[in-house]
Amino acid sequence: MKRSFKTSGALAATAAAALILSACGEAPDEAPETDESALAAEEVDFKACVVSDDGGWNDQSFNQSAYAGLMNADEEFGIDHAEVESHSEDQFGPNVDSMVQQGCDLVFGVGFLLADAISEAAAANPETTFALIDEWVPEELENAKPLVFNTSEAAYLAGYVAAAVSETDVVGTWGGLQIPSVTVFMDGFADGVDRYNSDNDGDVELVGWDKDAQSGSFSGGFQDQNAGRTLTEQLLAQDADVIMPVAGASGVGAGPAIEEAEAKMIWVDSDGYESTEYGNIILTSVLKQITQATFDTIEEGVNGNFTAEPYVGTLENDGVGLAPFHDFEDEVPDEVKEKVEELREEIISGETVVESVNAP
């Protein structure tokens, strides 16, 4: 798994100073001036904390993305931090409360399932600030910030690409739980397939999700890789050759089945080419910039600028997007790539509106 972190300017400056001293042979008569940015980092009195949902930090998806944002902020600002991994829903409330008891200035809950725990804790602890990833919080809470993402826009582009490269004219998707932060991906994907069919007089079928009926295939959670494999095999048996699991760690279970079938996978949340071991079968990924949103929210807190104003990630503000095609760069026709860029601009301009009852 590859992971990149921002390099602190303070660390870079300190390293450079050390090299200069070692090159000189003897210390100067006067002590060197203190690097103000390094001093500021050392003196930051701020603690940011993150609570996972039951998918855990190694889900190669949204929990892991939030954790990376916390680590980036720790490196950049020199803050204190804490994290706790949930293993079941009954741990959400106690885990959030434990972060409050540890004196956290800002507590993140990762995922729709932590909505109640974060909202209740924010109401009970007005001096602490909170952020909830992937779901709204009550508007009256002035100390809680929702970080939500309109992934239907980026999934629309992925659906178009999937339909364009399918050799069987069947593509598929399935989810972890039937909650808005999952089905919003599936809605956009369905519309992207429809757009391909409309533009190209095509007849590509989508299995695993019926947008109109809001019904489809779900593994029942975000941990069970065996269930993920079973659902994937069911879609492969229906001739799907491009499949998009929207299920956190459960989605990893799709990898072996898709690899054996010599099909293609579309990952979600993070760039699966970088975050999973299945880069060789990943056509692209529907990105949700959780890492950056987490980092930015911590930065607001460190600078005393935290607000409860919602963050909504879109194509326009680069909060969502489509990952590179990586190993499939040469297999995606240039005209499809050009069309995807056109569609992106249409969505940003409002010419094309991706409609989803699950969109934030």
Side-chain angles (χ1 to χ4, degrees):
M1 176 177 63
K2 307 172 188 173
R3 185 182 294 175
S4 61
F5 295 116
K6 297 185 178 182
T7 301
S8 166
L11 293 176
T14 303
L19 287 173
I20 292 171
L21 287 174
S22 65
C24 291
E26 64 180 87
D29 293 336
E30 296 182 4
E33 293 184 9
T34 302
D35 186 304
E36 293 182 1
S37 62
L39 182 61
E42 292 173 2
E43 293 179 346
V44 167
D45 181 17
F46 190 88
K47 186 172 185 177
C49 305
V50 182
V51 179
S52 81
D53 83 347
D54 57 7
W57 299 131
N58 294 318
D59 66 350
Q60 301 171 53
S61 189
F62 58 100
N63 285 293
Q64 188 167 316
S65 296
Y67 184 81
L70 176 68
M71 293 297 99
N72 287 356
D74 174 67
E75 182 175 343
E76 185 75 11
F77 305 121
I79 61 171
D80 194 6
H81 73 274
E83 68 280 339
V84 60
E85 189 174 50
S86 304
H87 300 288
S88 62
E89 291 191 27
D90 60 4
Q91 294 181 346
F92 296 159
N95 283 346
V96 172
D97 288 341
S98 75
M99 295 292 94
V100 175
Q101 297 306 314
Q102 290 185 41
C104 299
D105 297 289
L106 172 60
V107 180
F108 288 85
V110 187
F112 175 93
L113 297 177
L114 274 93
D116 289 345
I118 289 292
S119 297
E120 291 169 7
N125 300 278
E127 300 304 314
T128 303
T129 56
F130 296 82
L132 178 61
I133 294 170
D134 269 348
E135 180 57 327
W136 297 93
V137 293
E139 292 182 5
E140 63 269 19
L141 293 175
E142 297 181 357
N143 61 328
K145 183 185 191 72
L147 308 176
V148 293
F149 303 83
N150 190 359
T151 48
S152 65
E153 294 183 344
Y156 185 98
L157 306 180
Y160 189 97
V161 173
V165 303
S166 174
E167 298 178 4
T168 62
D169 284 346
V170 182
V171 299
T173 185
W174 60 269
L177 289 173
Q178 190 162 352
I179 56 178
S181 56
V182 169
T183 51
V184 65
F185 281 94
M186 300 163 81
D187 285 346
F189 192 75
D191 284 354
V193 174
D194 287 346
R195 178 62 182 266
Y196 175 83
N197 287 335
S198 176
D199 286 355
N200 298 277
D201 195 26
D203 193 27
V204 178
E205 179 186 3
L206 173 64
V207 294
W209 181 242
D210 183 330
K211 180 187 175 185
D212 293 334
Q214 289 288 295
S215 65
S217 300
F218 296 91
S219 62
F222 300 104
Q223 302 180 70
D224 192 340
Q225 294 187 22
N226 290 328
R229 176 164 186 153
T230 297
L231 284 177
T232 301
E233 289 173 342
Q234 291 172 357
L235 299 188
L236 290 167
Q238 297 177 64
D239 289 332
D241 63 350
V242 183
I243 296 176
M244 182 182 76
V246 189
S250 293
V252 177
I258 292 174
E259 201 167 42
E260 290 171 12
E262 298 184 353
K264 299 178 180 66
M265 178 160 63
I266 293 176
W267 196 244
V268 300
D269 293 333
S270 62
D271 185 343
Y273 185 87
E274 303 285 347
S275 64
T276 78
E277 60 185 291
Y278 296 107
N280 60 305
I281 60 170
I282 291 180
L283 174 62
T284 185
S285 300
V286 180
L287 301 176
K288 187 160 56 176
Q289 302 293 3
I290 291 174
T291 297
Q292 190 63 48
T294 301
F295 177 91
D296 290 346
T297 303
I298 294 172
E299 184 175 29
E300 290 175 2
V302 168
N303 293 330
N305 297 323
F306 178 90
T307 73
E309 181 179 355
Y311 168 81
V312 181
T314 64
L315 285 178
E316 184 174 12
N317 64 18
D318 293 325
V320 300
L322 204 63
F325 298 118
H326 295 296
D327 291 351
F328 293 97
E329 183 68 32
D330 293 336
E331 294 188 31
V332 179
D334 288 341
E335 58 267 26
V336 173
K337 296 174 186 174
E338 292 168 3
K339 184 63 178 182
V340 166
E341 286 305 310
E342 290 177 16
L343 294 175
R344 181 179 181 276
E345 293 305 318
E346 284 183 16
I347 293 170
I348 291 173
S349 70
E351 179 182 347
T352 292
V353 177
V354 185
E355 296 182 352
S356 169
V357 296
N358 301 294

